[in-house]
Amino acid sequence: MKLTSIGAVGLMGGSILAREANLTFPGSKSSVPGISSFNMSGYSAPKLDEVRIGFIGLGMRGPGAVKRMSLIEGVSIKGLCDLREESVLKSKALLEGTKHNPDLYSGSAYAWKEMVDRDDIDLIYIATPWDWHTPMAVYAMEAGKHVAVEVPASKTIDEAWELVETSERTKKHCMMLENCCYDFFELLTLNMARQNYFGDIIHGEGAYIHNLLDLNFDKEEGYQGMWRLEENATRNGNLYPTHGLGPICQIMNINRGDRMDYLNSLSSADFDMQKRAKQRAGTDPFFSDYANKNFRGNMNTTLIKTKMGRSIMVQHDVSSPRPYSRIHMVSGTKAFAQKWPTPGKVAVNDIWLTEKEMAGIEEKYTPELVKKVGNLAKKIGGHGGMDFIMDWRLIDCLRNGLPLDQDVYDAALWSSVGTLSEQSVANRSNSVDVPDFTRGNWKSNKPVDIGLQGAGNTSVNYK
């Protein structure tokens, strides 16, 4: 997804270290389990009657979040920050006619620190390029703020551990904004799994298949500073695993009764990106350096085995001319479900349910969360409504002092698959152990509860 404009200014040294850490095997934190200082799974932070928010990154993802949050009861938007002043002003204009009058921050790659250091902000919402996610999230938690950070939350295993250790030490939430966990069919199948409709879950599949080739090479409308093209030119693996992985992990109770054990990852050759770079370099010298770079393969396929014997496949392809798909497939001992690229459907005993039967499934298994705000979310929008469900749920949980649906261990684990896939690809697809970011607590952590007990009382100002 196209993120924002706070750019690759600064953090140059951090980026180099991050790339080096991607291929560091012995002695990395992934092999040192340690002891958890505090278990953030199921943690209930003190209630916040008013959730005061500061936004960092106002390119493509940020403005939509600002608008959605402005409609939710109990939210006060205190600050807007982006490298570019025009981006901040555009987001400020979205708040005209509302009660929100945020202070504005721009003009420096580190202007966000001034906002984060304020005493009157509870939540920092981060929608910046990937290099900034962990540094900003860690700084915000150290400053006493809860964090909501766009995907992926980290780029290296060391960064993932830094998020975990900071969240545990500060007792501040660090939720990755994995909006696909809040799509309607994904929530439906999660509730079905909770009620044992599928029986024992055997296998799951997810993906991010989205043709972004043109956008990656677009200097005007693409990614600020060509940061995403740079990611594709310097890393080879599943760079964006969380959209397909998150919903499957929740269904399988990963980090909450099961955990990832090891993975194997294979990338195809690159058939498109270097070719495009050479074509662009023929008419624009800007792309000359990219013409000789070895881009990641078009398709990456990563296979994951869990401790309880389940299997997961997650794919990544953002350069092939294919229809958009996240796959979302759930296979159990009693039933099967799949959505992408076709509409969601369910099969029992190898036979697809009829439209009438599917209507009955939706009536019976649509979770309370969707019944509460689903229709409203479709009207407000944001990837069909799932963005609004995610934001509303986050605020409702914070206001009622309830655990969040996604915690720091989910953010660290789902993001780490990107790094681990690179390691496997670089080693002829041999298996790589997956760190246990819960440090043993997965055995007793309770599954995600998507019910509305003790919650659901946050209204929305939308007509």
Side-chain angles (χ1 to χ4, degrees), residues 134-152:
T134 296
M136 288 177 171
V138 168
Y139 189 92
M141 286 187 283
E142 294 283 12
K145 277 65 173 180
H146 298 300
V147 169
V149 57
E150 272 292 355
V151 298

PDB file of all heavy atoms in Angstrom, residues 134-152:
ATOM      1  N   THR A 134       9.772   1.330  13.307  1.00  0.00           N
ATOM      2  CA  THR A 134      10.275   0.943  14.622  1.00  0.00           C
ATOM      3  C   THR A 134      10.872   2.119  15.394  1.00  0.00           C
ATOM      4  O   THR A 134      10.542   2.299  16.580  1.00  0.00           O
ATOM      5  CB  THR A 134      11.285  -0.203  14.509  1.00  0.00           C
ATOM      6  OG1 THR A 134      10.627  -1.370  13.993  1.00  0.00           O
ATOM      7  CG2 THR A 134      11.895  -0.543  15.862  1.00  0.00           C
ATOM      8  N   PRO A 135      11.743   2.950  14.780  1.00  0.00           N
ATOM      9  CA  PRO A 135      12.289   4.074  15.562  1.00  0.00           C
ATOM     10  C   PRO A 135      11.212   4.986  16.130  1.00  0.00           C
ATOM     11  O   PRO A 135      11.301   5.414  17.289  1.00  0.00           O
ATOM     12  CB  PRO A 135      13.162   4.818  14.542  1.00  0.00           C
ATOM     13  CG  PRO A 135      13.556   3.774  13.552  1.00  0.00           C
ATOM     14  CD  PRO A 135      12.372   2.863  13.441  1.00  0.00           C
ATOM     15  N   MET A 136      10.181   5.275  15.346  1.00  0.00           N
ATOM     16  CA  MET A 136       9.117   6.151  15.836  1.00  0.00           C
ATOM     17  C   MET A 136       8.289   5.472  16.911  1.00  0.00           C
ATOM     18  O   MET A 136       7.921   6.095  17.920  1.00  0.00           O
ATOM     19  CB  MET A 136       8.226   6.583  14.674  1.00  0.00           C
ATOM     20  CG  MET A 136       8.881   7.580  13.749  1.00  0.00           C
ATOM     21  SD  MET A 136       7.808   7.976  12.336  1.00  0.00           S
ATOM     22  CE  MET A 136       8.732   9.335  11.607  1.00  0.00           C
ATOM     23  N   ALA A 137       7.969   4.193  16.710  1.00  0.00           N
ATOM     24  CA  ALA A 137       7.160   3.467  17.685  1.00  0.00           C
ATOM     25  C   ALA A 137       7.888   3.355  19.020  1.00  0.00           C
ATOM     26  O   ALA A 137       7.290   3.551  20.087  1.00  0.00           O
ATOM     27  CB  ALA A 137       6.813   2.085  17.141  1.00  0.00           C
ATOM     28  N   VAL A 138       9.163   3.034  18.977  1.00  0.00           N
ATOM     29  CA  VAL A 138       9.945   2.906  20.209  1.00  0.00           C
ATOM     30  C   VAL A 138      10.035   4.252  20.928  1.00  0.00           C
ATOM     31  O   VAL A 138       9.828   4.345  22.148  1.00  0.00           O
ATOM     32  CB  VAL A 138      11.350   2.346  19.896  1.00  0.00           C
ATOM     33  CG1 VAL A 138      12.271   2.495  21.105  1.00  0.00           C
ATOM     34  CG2 VAL A 138      11.259   0.883  19.473  1.00  0.00           C
ATOM     35  N   TYR A 139      10.319   5.301  20.188  1.00  0.00           N
ATOM     36  CA  TYR A 139      10.425   6.639  20.790  1.00  0.00           C
ATOM     37  C   TYR A 139       9.097   7.023  21.448  1.00  0.00           C
ATOM     38  O   TYR A 139       9.080   7.576  22.560  1.00  0.00           O
ATOM     39  CB  TYR A 139      10.808   7.656  19.721  1.00  0.00           C
ATOM     40  CG  TYR A 139      11.154   9.023  20.269  1.00  0.00           C
ATOM     41  CD1 TYR A 139      12.464   9.348  20.586  1.00  0.00           C
ATOM     42  CD2 TYR A 139      10.164   9.987  20.459  1.00  0.00           C
ATOM     43  CE1 TYR A 139      12.791  10.612  21.089  1.00  0.00           C
ATOM     44  CE2 TYR A 139      10.472  11.240  20.966  1.00  0.00           C
ATOM     45  CZ  TYR A 139      11.784  11.546  21.277  1.00  0.00           C
ATOM     46  OH  TYR A 139      12.099  12.790  21.786  1.00  0.00           O
ATOM     47  N   ALA A 140       7.995   6.727  20.770  1.00  0.00           N
ATOM     48  CA  ALA A 140       6.680   7.093  21.307  1.00  0.00           C
ATOM     49  C   ALA A 140       6.361   6.318  22.580  1.00  0.00           C
ATOM     50  O   ALA A 140       5.843   6.890  23.554  1.00  0.00           O
ATOM     51  CB  ALA A 140       5.611   6.859  20.248  1.00  0.00           C
ATOM     52  N   MET A 141       6.632   5.026  22.589  1.00  0.00           N
ATOM     53  CA  MET A 141       6.377   4.245  23.806  1.00  0.00           C
ATOM     54  C   MET A 141       7.249   4.721  24.954  1.00  0.00           C
ATOM     55  O   MET A 141       6.793   4.817  26.103  1.00  0.00           O
ATOM     56  CB  MET A 141       6.590   2.759  23.536  1.00  0.00           C
ATOM     57  CG  MET A 141       5.491   2.111  22.719  1.00  0.00           C
ATOM     58  SD  MET A 141       5.652   0.318  22.570  1.00  0.00           S
ATOM     59  CE  MET A 141       6.963   0.173  21.326  1.00  0.00           C
ATOM     60  N   GLU A 142       8.504   5.035  24.669  1.00  0.00           N
ATOM     61  CA  GLU A 142       9.395   5.556  25.704  1.00  0.00           C
ATOM     62  C   GLU A 142       8.880   6.889  26.246  1.00  0.00           C
ATOM     63  O   GLU A 142       9.111   7.234  27.412  1.00  0.00           O
ATOM     64  CB  GLU A 142      10.802   5.750  25.139  1.00  0.00           C
ATOM     65  CG  GLU A 142      11.514   4.469  24.729  1.00  0.00           C
ATOM     66  CD  GLU A 142      12.061   3.681  25.905  1.00  0.00           C
ATOM     67  OE1 GLU A 142      11.706   3.988  27.063  1.00  0.00           O
ATOM     68  OE2 GLU A 142      12.840   2.740  25.660  1.00  0.00           O
ATOM     69  N   ALA A 143       8.147   7.618  25.398  1.00  0.00           N
ATOM     70  CA  ALA A 143       7.569   8.905  25.816  1.00  0.00           C
ATOM     71  C   ALA A 143       6.213   8.741  26.488  1.00  0.00           C
ATOM     72  O   ALA A 143       5.530   9.731  26.773  1.00  0.00           O
ATOM     73  CB  ALA A 143       7.451   9.835  24.616  1.00  0.00           C
ATOM     74  N   GLY A 144       5.798   7.496  26.734  1.00  0.00           N
ATOM     75  CA  GLY A 144       4.565   7.246  27.466  1.00  0.00           C
ATOM     76  C   GLY A 144       3.312   7.193  26.626  1.00  0.00           C
ATOM     77  O   GLY A 144       2.201   7.328  27.154  1.00  0.00           O
ATOM     78  N   LYS A 145       3.483   6.946  25.312  1.00  0.00           N
ATOM     79  CA  LYS A 145       2.328   6.913  24.419  1.00  0.00           C
ATOM     80  C   LYS A 145       2.057   5.488  23.948  1.00  0.00           C
ATOM     81  O   LYS A 145       2.978   4.706  23.732  1.00  0.00           O
ATOM     82  CB  LYS A 145       2.572   7.788  23.174  1.00  0.00           C
ATOM     83  CG  LYS A 145       2.292   9.264  23.349  1.00  0.00           C
ATOM     84  CD  LYS A 145       3.208   9.948  24.322  1.00  0.00           C
ATOM     85  CE  LYS A 145       3.006  11.470  24.344  1.00  0.00           C
ATOM     86  NZ  LYS A 145       3.916  12.101  25.318  1.00  0.00           N
ATOM     87  N   HIS A 146       0.765   5.167  23.779  1.00  0.00           N
ATOM     88  CA  HIS A 146       0.411   3.975  23.023  1.00  0.00           C
ATOM     89  C   HIS A 146       0.732   4.234  21.555  1.00  0.00           C
ATOM     90  O   HIS A 146       0.784   5.384  21.104  1.00  0.00           O
ATOM     91  CB  HIS A 146      -1.075   3.646  23.177  1.00  0.00           C
ATOM     92  CG  HIS A 146      -1.480   3.331  24.582  1.00  0.00           C
ATOM     93  ND1 HIS A 146      -0.945   2.298  25.301  1.00  0.00           N
ATOM     94  CD2 HIS A 146      -2.393   3.924  25.398  1.00  0.00           C
ATOM     95  CE1 HIS A 146      -1.498   2.252  26.503  1.00  0.00           C
ATOM     96  NE2 HIS A 146      -2.386   3.235  26.587  1.00  0.00           N
ATOM     97  N   VAL A 147       0.907   3.136  20.793  1.00  0.00           N
ATOM     98  CA  VAL A 147       1.321   3.263  19.404  1.00  0.00           C
ATOM     99  C   VAL A 147       0.433   2.417  18.503  1.00  0.00           C
ATOM    100  O   VAL A 147       0.123   1.264  18.813  1.00  0.00           O
ATOM    101  CB  VAL A 147       2.794   2.825  19.229  1.00  0.00           C
ATOM    102  CG1 VAL A 147       3.155   2.699  17.758  1.00  0.00           C
ATOM    103  CG2 VAL A 147       3.722   3.812  19.917  1.00  0.00           C
ATOM    104  N   ALA A 148       0.027   2.999  17.390  1.00  0.00           N
ATOM    105  CA  ALA A 148      -0.588   2.272  16.283  1.00  0.00           C
ATOM    106  C   ALA A 148       0.287   2.530  15.069  1.00  0.00           C
ATOM    107  O   ALA A 148       0.450   3.686  14.661  1.00  0.00           O
ATOM    108  CB  ALA A 148      -2.017   2.745  16.036  1.00  0.00           C
ATOM    109  N   VAL A 149       0.885   1.470  14.516  1.00  0.00           N
ATOM    110  CA  VAL A 149       1.887   1.645  13.473  1.00  0.00           C
ATOM    111  C   VAL A 149       1.524   0.835  12.240  1.00  0.00           C
ATOM    112  O   VAL A 149       1.090  -0.311  12.334  1.00  0.00           O
ATOM    113  CB  VAL A 149       3.294   1.257  13.993  1.00  0.00           C
ATOM    114  CG1 VAL A 149       3.343  -0.162  14.520  1.00  0.00           C
ATOM    115  CG2 VAL A 149       4.358   1.480  12.929  1.00  0.00           C
ATOM    116  N   GLU A 150       1.700   1.457  11.082  1.00  0.00           N
ATOM    117  CA  GLU A 150       1.379   0.777   9.834  1.00  0.00           C
ATOM    118  C   GLU A 150       2.291  -0.431   9.602  1.00  0.00           C
ATOM    119  O   GLU A 150       3.319  -0.602  10.260  1.00  0.00           O
ATOM    120  CB  GLU A 150       1.501   1.749   8.648  1.00  0.00           C
ATOM    121  CG  GLU A 150       0.220   2.517   8.362  1.00  0.00           C
ATOM    122  CD  GLU A 150      -0.893   1.643   7.836  1.00  0.00           C
ATOM    123  OE1 GLU A 150      -0.674   0.445   7.588  1.00  0.00           O
ATOM    124  OE2 GLU A 150      -2.011   2.165   7.666  1.00  0.00           O
ATOM    125  N   VAL A 151       1.901  -1.262   8.646  1.00  0.00           N
ATOM    126  CA  VAL A 151       2.603  -2.495   8.358  1.00  0.00           C
ATOM    127  C   VAL A 151       3.740  -2.256   7.369  1.00  0.00           C
ATOM    128  O   VAL A 151       3.634  -1.381   6.507  1.00  0.00           O
ATOM    129  CB  VAL A 151       1.627  -3.544   7.782  1.00  0.00           C
ATOM    130  CG1 VAL A 151       0.549  -3.870   8.781  1.00  0.00           C
ATOM    131  CG2 VAL A 151       0.965  -3.048   6.489  1.00  0.00           C
ATOM    132  N   PRO A 152       4.828  -3.037   7.502  1.00  0.00           N
ATOM    133  CA  PRO A 152       5.190  -3.889   8.633  1.00  0.00           C
ATOM    134  C   PRO A 152       5.714  -3.033   9.782  1.00  0.00           C
ATOM    135  O   PRO A 152       6.269  -1.960   9.561  1.00  0.00           O
ATOM    136  CB  PRO A 152       6.296  -4.775   8.049  1.00  0.00           C
ATOM    137  CG  PRO A 152       6.924  -3.926   6.984  1.00  0.00           C
ATOM    138  CD  PRO A 152       5.816  -3.089   6.400  1.00  0.00           C
TER     139      PRO A 152
END
